[in-house]
Amino acid sequence: MKEKEHFERLNHYFEKSKTGYDLVLSGSKHFGFYPDDQNISEKEAQIFMQELVAEKLKLSSKDLVLDAGCGQGVVSTFLANKYECKIEGITVLPFEIKKANLLAEKLKVSDKVSYSLMDYSKTKFRNNHFDCIYTTESLSHSLDISKTLKEFFRILKKGGRVAFFEYTISKDEEFSSSEMKIFDKIVKSSAMSGLKDFRHDEFQNVLSEAGFTNVQVEDISQNAGPSLARLKKYAMLPYYVFVKPFGLQEKFPNASAAVEFYNMAEKGLIRYNIFTAKK
């Protein structure tokens, strides 16, 4: 896929989906983390997940951090407010810059965060610029994951830390033909071009090949599961009554993913992971 086509598809998907993200996830674009045996709200789970970003990065007030694929600034403003670090957020979606800046003003952290329109595979930052880099479910939108990781490596300081909160999937042959057909429709319409590079038990090798060391992976699928179950509950009626019977998964990728990805995750075909590494 050409770069221009990819970014057009990405902008179309998120422009079309932004109201749903605002209503269902309060503007965030990541799942929540539900600690074992705790009955908490989705909002509390979202905060737990954001706390995990700080924990995995060993975040301090001295750090300069890159939020690669920053969305509407939900994670970065939270971290800047609580940990008093400096964060630069980048996105290829113009509408997100405005929303992120408004949130930063609301939370009084505009002096700690900044947002720019930039491709995370081809940034304008100098070498060895950041202490930390993180993503929250944005790497699957990379058109070339190797290029993206090499760019992260370039702009990260020696000894710098990364934390990627991302999905992985099984090998193609472990999906049924019908599952793969639906999966491909969802991936195409939501511009998740890089998702097929995220394979179970293999993506850590991709990180190592990009130059990162001390690569670790933690499967938190069980803890993210209640978030996906919640989305499935909302999506089941329209999906089974309207979307699936007429094969409209490509037109309604979020409703389709809420149901089908939940079913695939139950089979272990999709996992939710935290990848950490150093330069």
Side-chain angles (χ1 to χ4, degrees):
M1 184 189 300
K2 293 182 180 179
E3 189 174 281
K4 182 180 178 182
E5 180 187 351
H6 172 69
F7 288 128
E8 286 176 351
R9 184 172 290 172
L10 197 59
N11 272 276
H12 175 76
Y13 166 70
F14 278 108
E15 281 281 357
K16 184 179 175 182
S17 303
K18 61 185 179 182
T19 300
Y21 279 115
D22 287 344
L23 291 174
V24 179
L25 293 172
S26 302
S28 70
K29 293 183 172 70
H30 64 81
F31 288 129
F33 181 91
Y34 287 76
D36 296 337
D37 303 320
Q38 288 194 34
N39 184 19
I40 60 174
S41 68
E42 177 67 18
K43 181 64 176 177
E44 290 171 310
Q46 292 271 327
I47 292 172
F48 271 117
M49 190 69 89
Q50 290 161 192
E51 292 276 16
L52 265 181
V53 175
E55 178 186 320
K56 296 302 178 180
L57 290 174
K58 298 181 172 58
L59 206 57
S60 79
S61 60
K62 297 178 182 179
D63 288 325
L64 176 62
V65 185
L66 175 66
D67 182 338
C70 62
Q72 296 174 189
V74 173
V75 180
S76 52
T77 53
F78 173 84
L79 296 176
N81 187 45
K82 183 162 185 178
Y83 296 92
E84 301 186 342
C85 52
K86 298 281 188 179
I87 302 183
E88 298 195 37
I90 59 175
T91 176
V92 294
L93 307 173
F95 80 89
E96 291 186 332
I97 300 289
K98 181 179 180 180
K99 288 206 168 191
N101 281 322
L102 287 172
L103 183 59
E105 290 174 14
K106 179 181 178 181
L107 297 178
K108 297 181 171 57
V109 292
S110 295
D111 59 328
K112 296 183 179 67
V113 297
S114 62
Y115 300 103
S116 304
L117 198 64
M118 204 180 302
D119 176 4
Y120 56 29
S121 296
K122 190 169 51 181
T123 75
K124 299 176 183 178
F125 302 115
R126 60 180 173 81
N127 294 348
N128 309 307
H129 185 59
F130 292 101
D131 298 291
C132 306
I133 299 173
Y134 70 87
T135 64
T136 50
E137 302 171 40
S138 64
L139 271 185
S140 58
H141 296 291
S142 172
L143 190 58
D144 185 337
I145 190 61
S146 294
K147 182 179 179 181
T148 302
L149 292 175
K150 287 175 182 176
E151 179 67 356
F152 289 170
F153 191 82
R154 180 186 72 80
I155 62 180
L156 189 66
K157 292 179 182 177
K158 179 70 174 177
R161 295 93 66 199
V162 298
F164 305 134
F165 288 62
E166 301 292 341
Y167 322 109
T168 58
I169 63 172
S170 294
K171 296 177 181 178
D172 285 3
E173 56 266 28
E174 295 180 24
F175 291 78
S176 69
S177 59
S178 60
E179 286 170 336
M180 185 53 66
K181 184 177 180 180
I182 291 171
F183 181 86
D184 284 342
K185 284 183 177 182
I186 296 168
V187 166
K188 180 182 178 181
S189 58
S190 55
M192 292 194 290
S193 302
L195 186 54
K196 286 198 173 182
D197 292 321
F198 290 71
R199 299 291 181 171
H200 294 344
D201 308 316
E202 294 180 9
F203 185 66
Q204 47 268 52
N205 298 329
V206 180
L207 288 169
S208 296
E209 288 167 6
F212 293 100
T213 62
N214 196 31
V215 178
Q216 305 288 327
V217 58
E218 182 181 356
D219 180 354
I220 59 166
S221 302
Q222 292 299 315
N223 302 100
S227 272
L228 190 50
R230 175 174 173 265
L231 295 177
K232 180 185 178 182
K233 181 179 178 181
Y234 290 145
M236 279 181 67
L237 183 61
Y239 183 72
Y240 284 117
V241 170
F242 176 65
V243 178
K244 189 171 184 178
F246 295 98
L248 297 175
Q249 289 90 351
E250 202 168 325
K251 296 288 186 183
F252 299 92
N254 287 344
S256 302
V259 176
E260 297 289 358
F261 281 12
Y262 178 89
N263 295 338
M264 293 173 191
E266 286 285 283
K267 296 180 179 181
L269 297 172
I270 298 176
R271 297 177 190 163
Y272 193 102
N273 315 271
I274 306 172
F275 296 93
T276 55
K278 289 185 177 182
K279 178 175 178 179

